[in-house]
Amino acid sequence: MIGHGSRPLLRKALAATGDADAALVDAAYPVLIGHYTAHICDLSRPYPGVEAAFDRLSACGIALSICTNKPLAPTLALIAALGWEARFASIVGGDTLPVSKPDPAPLQLAIDQSGGGAAAFVGDSITDTQTAIAAGLPCIAVSFGFADRPAAELGAQMVIDHFDDLIPALTRLGRLPS
């Protein structure tokens, strides 16, 4: 049910119980977001190798950005709980603009706020791949995310199985010097 934002997740979850009435979704949405934000990092842990990959990219002068369909407030709460506030040049949430992924506008905003230039999108869902394609960017899919299908079926230019593989993948895509 994940991958398209919290409101579609709620709609799908309620439909699975037999009631996805729009009024119920509207009423339940603030409750969901409130609970989610209050418990944002109860069980969340960084994927193995992600912080080392962040460090290597930053050492290469690469600006890191987040473009998510999660609302901005819980996204910022998660980043703070992980102690990552200084790691990102831009964080764009699903409610930052009137449109969200797969529309390319949020991704373009994240890139612009990070200084522009060559970019690549790293994601774990079909929405991420569709967003990269719509923005004309290469996409690297991770095989360990929350996709609704195998990473090899997402349509990304490359699939990685661990964040240790990110730097070599970006180099092969021409986004990092060799």
Side-chain angles (χ1 to χ4, degrees):
M1 294 184 189
I2 348 183
H4 299 280
S6 48
R7 190 172 291 274
L9 166 71
L10 180 59
R11 191 175 304 111
K12 291 176 199 172
L14 289 171
T17 68
D19 189 1
D21 175 76
L24 179 59
V25 172
D26 289 342
Y29 184 73
V31 175
L32 171 71
I33 295 303
H35 180 81
Y36 180 65
T37 303
H39 298 278
I40 195 69
C41 205
D42 288 356
L43 299 174
S44 296
R45 301 292 177 268
Y47 284 112
V50 71
E51 290 180 329
F54 289 165
D55 291 343
R56 288 193 306 270
L57 289 166
S58 293
C60 292
I62 304 298
L64 304 175
S65 298
I66 293 176
C67 179
T68 180
N69 275 346
K70 288 178 187 60
L72 187 59
T75 300
L76 294 174
L78 177 60
I79 296 304
L82 293 170
W84 289 356
E85 299 95 333
R87 289 196 180 268
F88 299 98
S90 175
I91 301 173
V92 175
D95 55 356
T96 301
L97 295 175
V99 296
S100 58
K101 299 183 306 180
D103 190 295
L107 179 55
Q108 192 57 57
L109 177 62
I111 293 166
D112 292 346
Q113 290 179 343
S114 298
F121 195 100
V122 179
D124 66 358
S125 71
I126 190 66
T127 303
D128 293 335
T129 304
Q130 291 169 341
T131 304
I133 291 166
L137 293 177
C139 185
I140 298 171
V142 297
S143 64
F144 46 86
F146 293 101
D148 61 353
R149 63 197 78 190
E153 296 176 14
L154 295 176
Q157 282 79 6
M158 304 187 95
V159 175
I160 61 172
D161 297 320
H162 192 280
F163 274 108
D164 289 349
D165 302 325
L166 181 58
I167 303 296
L170 288 168
T171 301
R172 284 193 301 277
L173 288 173
R175 295 307 197 221
L176 288 176
S178 35

